[in-house]
């Protein structure tokens, strides 16, 4: 996984005076200019078109009474890099990392590292200051030339009203930049729609020992970064007292204990929306893998209890959070080659993972039965309980808990209610990942969006930070339909939220509804859109630990659909983005071994699309296809299952019903 080839060429170190420094991408389309005349600013062009106007870069640190700024540029070095690395837990096995690099060395012991990729640009600041310092502010601007339309994921539903305490789950407001609320924060990735169908997507990446980046409205169609200040005091609070809520924050955003690379500030640029689905920017800018032996890490699918409220039928016991129910889940998983089950909130006490365990759940018996059946068990935990309510209090509680449950045979933890990404939480996430890796445990982070750690620690399978299927449980009706357009979100998140990394959307609803018949129901939930819309998510959405959210009973009642879902891998050797429009539809193909998995999804607009099968390569293939049924526009569960011979010369005409989908598994004959 760590093996990589690095070609370094054209290294030049020159004395530089104030002025412009330019670096262009390997294909010559992306040009980044760094101007240092009065203050440091970067600008980005693509094929001669302005993407970013000159945008400020700066930092302010203090050491006691000494203030440190970015300083002036002294020397400059240029590099061309053509390398690659492997990641067996991603949408492709081999990731190409080719870019042109500009290194600007300042008089205040900072390096500004700038990269120009064929599909975007990025920079980061590297502090060479060896003594501890406090970062009081970092300036990162993204200035656009006009009042372009944008997809804005606002921060809302703050925990206890704390400005920076949020679950990172946002629908998208689609408005011009000028209409962005000045008093609100947004999260990234954040899309700006440029002329000619181009997109510019602002994001951060490679975050470590530093807070994540929020975005707010700046002047003249610009975005400005804002960072959560360092927490000085906190209390238990939030939803059901599951969070740690900062009650006092410092006048600085980060503590640096010596030399450190700060996170990347990046903009992804595409001419074709579909190419966003295939972008590797987050992987390229992430820290390299830190687990020497990854052979124990096994991605897969998981049967989940919470969304379906343990609603199983046809049994002679009361269903719920009890041993018999989870024995049933294990049997279901084993029969369908599903690798894991999750036991969600309620198996342990409110304040501890080691005390007040539910007497209704015989965990040793379930672990033993799962081992016999080849099914692993993952446990839910709040973040504060797993760390012992002290983000930087060492690993004593965390290590005790992880060792105990690893020794028992538990496979990992779904860690919930982080709901912050200040420096403490980011540091804790790394600390937790390292501890889990030590005991061969998997992690699924909720209340966080991915920020690069998933490459460093691939035992972190998933991140939530997404308006997933759970939202259907409480979705209100307004007028003649649901308040939120979930199918549109479903074909927006793959371009934006998923650009940062895997997302725990938790698909797989077997009760499906159109707008006129959908309503939120916590105990008997349903999804917006068709059955095949849900099935297509298993290929479209990236998640090394992919959930089956509905009840095992319902999956068995719909065994034909379940058999199909169960075959789809959760990590792939190759991905090809076939077609798509942000917020409208997606068409994607992924390969594992010699088998291809293809899926298309649409919003509430019915569509007729054509899929060019040339990605298959030479040979004869058989496609196992699920498509929206002829009556799916009236009954969302209607589908058609068929087999079809295909070759790379074919162009398949497919129909997507309103809120619909199409999906196929294609094997060589």
């Amino acid at each position: 996984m760590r093996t990589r080839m690095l070609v370094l060429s054209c290294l030049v170190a020159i004395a530089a005076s104030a002025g412009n420094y330019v670096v262009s991408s390997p294909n010559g389309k992306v040009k980044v200019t760094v101007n240092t005349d009065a203050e440091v600013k970067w600008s980005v062009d693509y094929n001669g078109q302005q993407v970013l106007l000159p945008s400020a870069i700066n930092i302010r640190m203090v050491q006691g009474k000494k203030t440190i700024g970015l300083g002036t540029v002294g020397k400059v070095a240029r590099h061309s890099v053509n390398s690659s690395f492997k990641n067996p837990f991603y949408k492709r096995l081999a990731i190409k990392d080719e870019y042109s690099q500009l290194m600007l060395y300042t008089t205040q012991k900072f390096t500004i590292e700038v990269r120009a990729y064929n599909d975007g640009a990025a920079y980061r600041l590297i502090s060479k200051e060896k003594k501890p310092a406090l970062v009081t502010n970092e300036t990162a601007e993204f200035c656009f030339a006009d009042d372009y339309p944008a997809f804005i994921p606002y921060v809302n539903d703050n925990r206890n009203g704390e400005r920076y305490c949020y679950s990172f789950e946002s629908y998208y407001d689609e408005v011009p930049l000028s209409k962005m609320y000045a008093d609100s924060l947004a999260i990234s990735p954040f899309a700006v729609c440029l002329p000619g169908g181009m997109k510019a997507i602002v994001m951060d990446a490679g975050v470590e020992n530093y807070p994540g980046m929020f975005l707010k409205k700046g002047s003249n169609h610009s975005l400005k970064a804002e960072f959560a200040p360092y927490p000085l005091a906190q209390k238990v609070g939030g939803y059901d007292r599951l969070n740690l809520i900062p009650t006092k924050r410092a006048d600085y955003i980060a503590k640096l204990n010596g030399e450190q690379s700060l996170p990347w500030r990046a903009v992804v640029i595409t001419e074709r929306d579909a190419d966003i689905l295939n972008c590797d920017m987050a992987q390229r800018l992430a820290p390299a893998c830190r687990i020497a032996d990854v052979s124990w890490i096994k991605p897969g699918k998981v049967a989940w209890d919470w969304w379906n409220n343990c609603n199983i039928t046809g049994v002679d016991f009361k269903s719920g959070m009890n041993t018999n129910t989870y024995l049933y889940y294990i049997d279901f998983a084993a029969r369908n080659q599903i690798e894991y089950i999750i036991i969600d909130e309620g198996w342990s006490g409110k304040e501890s993972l080691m005390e007040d365990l539910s007497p209704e759940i015989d965990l040793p018996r379930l672990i033993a039965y799962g081992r016999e059946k080849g099914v692993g068990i993952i446990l839910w935990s709040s973040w504060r309980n797993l760390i012992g309510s002290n983000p930087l209090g060492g690993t004593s509680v965390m290590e005790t808990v992880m060792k105990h449950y690893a020794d028992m045979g538990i496979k990992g933890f779904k860690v919930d209610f982080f709901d912050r990404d200040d420096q403490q939480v980011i540091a804790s996430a790394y600390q937790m990942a390292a501890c889990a890796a030590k005991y061969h445990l998997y992690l699924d982070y909720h209340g966080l969006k991915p920020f690069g750690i998933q490459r460093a620690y691939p035992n972190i399978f998933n991140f939530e930070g997404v308006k997933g299927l759970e939202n259907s449980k409480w979705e209100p009706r307004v007028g003649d339909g649901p308040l939120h357009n979930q199918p549109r979100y479903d074909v927006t998140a793959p371009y934006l939220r998923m650009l940062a990394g895997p997302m725990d959307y938790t698909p797989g609803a077997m009760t499906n509804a159109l707008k006129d018949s959908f309503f939120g129901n916590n105990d008997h939930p349903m999804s917006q859109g068709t059955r095949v819309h849900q099935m297509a998510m298993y290929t479209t959405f990236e998640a090394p630990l992919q959930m089956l959210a509905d009840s095992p009973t319902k999956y068995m009642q719909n065994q034909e659909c379940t058999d199909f879902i169960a075959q789809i891998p959760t990590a792939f050797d190759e991905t090809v983005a076939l077609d798509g429009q942000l917020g409208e539809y997606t068409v994607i193909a992924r390969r594992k071994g010699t088998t291809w998995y293809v899926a298309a999804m649409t919003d509430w607009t019915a569509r007729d699309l054509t899929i060019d099968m040339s990605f298959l390569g030479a040979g004869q293939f058989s496609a196992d296809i699920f498509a929206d049924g002829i009556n799916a526009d009236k009954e969302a569960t209607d589908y058609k299952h068929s087999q079809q011979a295909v070759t790379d010369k074919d162009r398949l005409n497919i129909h997507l019903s309103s809120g619909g989908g199409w999906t196929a598994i294609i094997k060589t004959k």
Side-chain angles (χ1 to χ4, degrees):
M1 186 173 175
R2 288 181 171 181
T3 303
R4 57 187 295 164
M5 179 183 69
L6 177 64
V7 178
L8 189 64
S9 64
C10 195
L11 175 61
V12 181
I14 59 174
S17 58
N20 290 332
Y21 304 92
V22 178
V23 61
S24 296
S25 61
N27 67 3
K29 288 189 174 183
V30 175
K31 184 179 78 170
V32 184
T33 302
V34 180
N35 182 275
T36 61
D37 283 334
E39 58 180 325
V40 178
K41 292 187 176 183
W42 75 317
S43 58
V44 182
D45 294 349
Y46 185 90
N47 250 0
Q49 179 176 332
Q50 286 182 320
V51 176
L52 290 182
L53 301 181
S55 304
I57 299 172
N58 210 340
I59 193 167
R60 185 177 182 274
M61 300 196 310
V62 296
Q63 285 178 334
K65 295 182 179 180
K66 178 184 176 183
T67 299
I68 303 171
L70 195 56
T72 58
V73 172
K75 292 185 177 181
V76 177
R78 304 175 190 275
H79 308 259
S80 293
V81 177
N82 188 347
S83 64
S84 64
F85 56 92
K86 291 186 176 180
N87 188 342
F89 314 109
Y90 185 52
K91 64 187 175 190
R92 62 172 49 83
L93 180 58
I95 297 98
K96 188 174 180 62
D97 195 18
E98 183 182 11
Y99 56 90
S100 301
Q101 184 184 66
L102 183 66
M103 304 289 283
L104 301 108
Y105 303 95
T106 79
T107 55
Q108 290 280 33
K109 298 183 180 179
F110 278 100
T111 302
I112 308 169
E113 180 179 359
V114 183
R115 293 184 184 179
Y117 288 94
N118 291 339
D119 58 358
Y123 78 86
R124 66 177 174 180
L125 303 179
I126 304 171
S127 172
K128 295 296 184 179
E129 179 58 59
K130 297 184 183 301
K131 297 179 181 179
L134 302 176
V135 180
T136 57
N137 186 49
E138 181 193 345
T139 300
E141 283 187 340
F142 305 88
C143 301
F144 294 92
D146 209 340
D147 192 16
Y148 298 133
F151 284 69
I152 305 174
Y154 283 113
V155 170
N156 51 53
D157 190 26
N158 300 79
R159 306 302 188 193
N160 281 37
E162 211 276 341
R163 180 172 173 83
Y164 307 101
C165 217
Y166 178 56
S167 65
F168 304 94
E169 302 173 23
S170 303
Y171 290 109
Y172 295 92
D173 280 30
E174 299 175 37
V175 297
L177 287 168
S178 64
K179 300 297 183 183
M180 186 175 181
Y181 296 122
D183 62 349
S184 297
L185 296 177
I187 59 176
S188 67
F190 181 120
V192 177
C193 304
L194 303 177
M198 288 175 55
K199 301 293 186 298
I201 305 174
V202 175
M203 61 187 291
D204 60 352
V207 183
E208 182 171 8
N209 194 36
Y210 204 82
M213 180 178 72
F214 293 98
L215 294 167
K216 62 184 179 182
K217 184 178 182 180
S219 60
N220 299 324
H221 319 306
S222 70
L223 303 172
K224 298 183 69 174
E226 184 170 324
F227 304 92
Y230 191 87
L232 296 176
Q234 50 206 333
K235 68 177 182 180
V236 175
Y239 174 75
D240 202 22
R241 290 175 45 82
L242 290 168
N243 292 107
L244 283 177
I245 309 292
T247 56
K248 182 180 181 182
R249 290 189 181 269
D251 58 358
Y252 53 87
I253 63 174
K255 298 178 178 180
L256 304 188
N257 294 318
E259 297 184 15
Q260 179 177 326
S261 297
L262 274 59
W264 292 95
R265 315 301 173 207
V267 57
V268 170
I269 309 164
T270 59
E271 299 178 54
R272 193 179 77 116
D273 284 6
D275 291 336
I276 305 170
L277 301 172
N278 214 13
C279 180
D280 297 322
M281 188 67 80
Q283 280 282 313
R284 299 180 201 131
L285 299 179
C289 182
R290 295 174 183 175
I291 302 177
D293 175 15
V294 298
S295 62
W296 57 274
I297 302 176
K298 306 293 183 186
K301 289 180 287 296
V302 55
W304 184 36
D305 55 351
W306 181 86
W307 190 80
N308 60 76
N309 201 34
C310 295
N311 281 328
I312 56 179
T313 60
V315 297
D316 58 2
F317 58 85
K318 279 286 188 182
S319 66
M321 296 202 71
N322 57 52
T323 300
N324 284 332
T325 296
Y326 292 111
L327 291 172
Y328 181 95
Y329 274 75
I330 291 170
D331 283 337
F332 162 73
R335 282 195 300 269
N336 291 279
Q337 291 78 54
I338 295 166
E339 293 86 349
Y340 306 100
I341 72 164
I342 279 183
I343 301 178
D344 214 281
E345 182 185 6
W347 67 272
S348 68
K350 284 285 187 183
E351 301 300 325
S352 171
L353 300 178
M354 303 289 284
E355 300 174 356
D356 301 322
L357 305 188
S358 171
E360 300 297 319
I361 297 175
D362 187 341
L363 204 51
R365 181 184 173 190
L366 292 173
I367 293 168
Y369 190 67
R371 186 181 296 116
E372 176 188 331
K373 294 286 188 175
V375 177
I377 296 175
I378 296 169
L379 299 175
W380 180 94
S381 167
S382 68
W383 169 61
R384 73 174 182 87
N385 277 351
L386 193 52
I387 64 171
S389 294
N390 187 348
L392 298 180
T395 60
S396 57
V397 172
M398 183 193 309
E399 183 136 10
T400 298
V401 170
M402 288 189 176
K403 183 180 187 308
H404 172 76
Y405 286 105
D407 289 346
M408 285 182 67
I410 288 297
K411 296 298 183 182
F413 288 93
K414 171 184 170 181
V415 187
D416 209 345
F417 291 92
F418 283 89
D419 296 344
R420 292 160 45 191
D421 70 345
D422 51 52
Q423 186 186 27
Q424 280 189 359
V425 172
I426 296 297
S428 177
Y430 275 90
Q431 189 181 66
M432 188 178 294
C435 188
K438 178 179 177 180
Y439 295 105
H440 287 193
L441 292 170
Y442 311 138
L443 297 172
D444 177 2
Y445 283 170
H446 277 220
L448 273 179
K449 63 182 179 71
F451 48 89
I453 190 176
Q454 65 271 22
R455 181 181 164 202
Y457 290 99
N459 59 320
I460 304 174
F461 282 148
N462 289 356
F463 295 77
E464 193 184 28
V466 64
K467 284 290 187 183
L469 194 63
E470 68 171 1
N471 290 271
S472 67
K473 289 167 73 75
W474 47 76
E475 175 69 18
R477 285 186 68 85
V478 176
D480 60 354
L483 174 62
H484 296 104
N485 184 339
Q486 192 68 34
R488 185 167 180 83
Y489 179 83
D490 296 343
V491 292
T492 302
Y495 297 94
L496 300 183
R497 162 59 186 82
M498 202 166 75
L499 181 62
M503 56 186 196
D504 201 7
Y505 182 99
T506 69
M510 293 289 108
T511 300
N512 318 106
L514 302 176
K515 283 191 286 188
D516 61 350
S517 55
F518 175 88
F519 62 94
N521 187 319
N522 187 74
D523 294 333
H524 300 279
M526 64 187 73
S527 70
Q528 294 184 42
T530 70
R531 168 71 57 80
V532 185
H533 185 86
Q534 288 288 307
M535 295 175 68
M537 293 177 178
Y538 285 88
T539 293
T540 305
F541 293 166
E542 297 170 26
L545 185 70
Q546 187 60 279
M547 305 280 175
L548 276 74
D550 218 327
S551 160
T553 300
K554 288 188 178 179
Y555 286 122
M556 289 187 286
Q557 292 168 347
N558 295 275
Q559 192 63 48
E560 187 176 50
C561 299
T562 305
D563 289 343
F564 183 91
I565 291 169
Q567 296 179 65
I568 301 174
T570 62
F572 298 87
D573 297 331
E574 182 181 359
T575 288
V576 180
L578 299 174
D579 195 6
Q581 291 291 325
L582 173 61
E584 297 183 19
Y585 67 97
T586 61
V587 188
I588 198 161
R590 305 190 194 272
R591 179 181 60 81
K592 185 74 170 181
T594 60
T595 301
W596 284 92
Y597 305 84
V598 188
M601 297 167 57
T602 185
D603 59 359
W604 284 124
T605 302
R607 300 180 193 276
D608 293 298
L609 302 173
T610 299
I611 300 179
D612 183 341
M613 306 300 288
S614 59
F615 64 87
L616 289 173
Q620 301 291 320
F621 299 85
S622 177
D624 185 22
I625 299 170
F626 278 77
D628 292 325
I630 195 170
N631 293 307
D633 60 339
K634 296 189 296 183
E635 171 50 63
T637 61
D638 187 36
Y639 66 86
K640 181 180 179 181
H641 184 196
S642 63
Q643 307 287 327
Q644 183 174 342
V646 294
T647 72
D648 62 339
K649 304 296 190 296
D650 290 325
R651 292 171 63 85
L652 295 188
N653 296 318
I654 68 171
H655 176 73
L656 306 180
S657 189
S658 174
W662 183 95
T663 187
I665 298 175
I666 304 175
K667 299 181 179 180
T668 55
K669 284 190 174 181

